[in-house]
């Protein structure tokens, strides 16, 4: 039965590819059947960055798919504001490229958006990304984090202000295992650090970050 569903699923994908092929959000050309854009060279492993950092709670990884500018910025904006399925697909592929071979995580944890903002945007951006990455890697998606109070957008705030705003707004369920937080754009790290602290206190053995893009230093505070 499951096999039948899989066959029906792949026929549906093939038909959709034929009648409504995905087009690259950057150059508008049709994506290859593999989901790549050969003209824009996306996804692009050369943009991938992997950083090992440490703090008093131990070592952690910051994995980013590229700088938030140029083509990557266009892709993120096409996904966030136009819900472009091709942009989501390219971003998920780019995110998967950042995962080092030989490492594994027990769950993907979307960085939580406030419920009000989820309603505004239809669904949480980070949850869609995490699901798409989960489909490609087989890692389960879990959502133990919640924002408890409405916060204004963090756009334009500096690191200290972000820390202050985030300190009291996150709520977490009990969780275990080695976790990979998923975010769209990594800026100062304040959101990640607040989530990481909460997850470690709730029982996680390790928390790393995967963000599809990273704000370049000269643009921090503007995004
Ligand atoms: Zn393209």
């Amino acid at each position: 039965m499951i096999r039948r569903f899989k066959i029906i699923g792949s026929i549906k994908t093939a038909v959709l590819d034929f009648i409504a092929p995905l087009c690259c959000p950057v150059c508008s050309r049709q994506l290859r059947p593999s989901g790549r854009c050969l003209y824009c060279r996306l996804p692009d492993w050369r943009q991938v960055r992997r950083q090992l950092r440490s703090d008093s709670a131990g070592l952690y990884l910051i994995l980013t798919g590229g700088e938030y500018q140029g083509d990557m910025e266009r892709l993120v904006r096409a996904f966030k504001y136009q819900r472009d399925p091709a942009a989501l697909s390219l971003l998920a592929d780019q995110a998967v490229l950042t995962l080092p071979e030989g490492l594994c995580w027990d769950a993907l944890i979307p960085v939580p958006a406030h419920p009000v903002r989820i309603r505004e945007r239809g669904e949480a951006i980070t949850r869609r990304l995490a699901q798409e990455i989960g489909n490609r890697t087989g890692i389960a998606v879990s959502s133990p984090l919640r924002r408890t109070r409405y916060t204004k957008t963090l756009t334009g705030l500096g690191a200290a202000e972000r820390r202050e705003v985030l300190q009291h707004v996150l709520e977490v369920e009990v969780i275990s295992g080695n976790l990979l937080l998923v975010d769209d754009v990594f800026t100062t790290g304040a959101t990640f650090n607040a989530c990481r602290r909460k997850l470690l206190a709730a029982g996680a053995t390790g928390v790393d970050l995967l963000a599809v893009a990273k704000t370049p230093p000269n643009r921090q505070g503007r995004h």
Side-chain angles (χ1 to χ4, degrees):
M1 200 55 163
I2 290 170
R3 205 169 149 219
R4 211 177 125 204
F5 279 130
K6 271 192 181 162
I7 292 169
I8 291 170
S10 50
I11 291 171
K12 192 177 159 195
T13 310
V15 171
L16 279 175
D17 278 348
F18 183 70
I19 58 171
L22 291 181
C23 289
C24 173
V26 178
C27 68
S28 302
R29 289 184 173 97
Q30 203 169 309
L31 292 183
R32 307 289 296 175
S34 60
R36 297 178 150 265
C37 178
L38 298 182
Y39 297 95
C40 301
R41 301 179 78 174
L42 290 167
D44 182 3
W45 63 267
R46 295 166 306 170
Q47 294 198 47
V48 164
R49 294 289 177 271
R50 297 168 180 154
Q51 271 190 308
L52 184 62
R53 296 187 185 178
S54 69
D55 62 10
S56 56
L59 295 169
Y60 60 93
L61 281 167
I62 300 285
L63 309 168
T64 50
E67 296 234 308
Y68 186 67
Q69 59 189 4
D71 291 351
M72 282 300 287
E73 182 173 355
R74 272 180 219 115
L75 281 186
V76 172
R77 295 181 76 84
F79 165 52
K80 271 176 97 160
Y81 304 117
Q82 289 142 34
R83 318 249 177 91
D84 186 326
L88 172 60
S89 176
L90 284 167
L91 288 171
D93 285 339
Q94 186 72 23
V96 170
L97 285 182
T98 70
L99 301 178
E101 269 183 49
L103 290 184
C104 60
W105 289 269
D106 299 300
L108 299 168
I109 314 287
V111 167
H114 189 277
V116 171
R117 203 160 305 152
I118 293 173
R119 274 204 302 279
E120 282 169 0
R121 290 192 184 158
E123 63 184 329
I125 296 298
T126 51
R127 195 168 60 224
R128 277 300 287 124
L129 261 177
Q131 282 163 349
E132 213 52 39
I133 296 163
N135 290 344
R136 285 157 167 74
T137 58
I139 308 173
V141 177
S142 175
S143 302
L145 285 168
R146 264 174 204 80
R147 285 195 193 208
T148 54
R149 288 195 316 192
Y150 183 75
T151 50
K152 285 188 285 187
T153 175
L154 297 179
T155 303
L157 298 183
E161 289 166 302
R162 282 176 185 233
R163 233 186 339 263
E164 180 61 33
V165 170
L166 286 165
Q167 203 170 7
H168 305 292
V169 298
L170 286 170
E171 203 174 67
V172 66
E173 293 164 11
V174 172
I175 190 151
S176 61
N178 192 28
L179 310 175
L180 186 59
L181 267 165
V182 176
D183 207 351
D184 52 352
V185 182
F186 177 80
T187 304
T188 64
T191 304
F192 166 67
N193 286 326
C195 293
R196 180 167 178 268
R197 275 200 300 274
K198 287 277 178 186
L199 290 167
L200 289 172
T205 48
V207 182
D208 299 306
L209 176 77
L210 167 55
V212 289
K214 179 179 190 292
T215 308
N218 61 341
R219 292 186 58 182
Q220 286 188 11
R222 287 207 283 137
H223 167 65

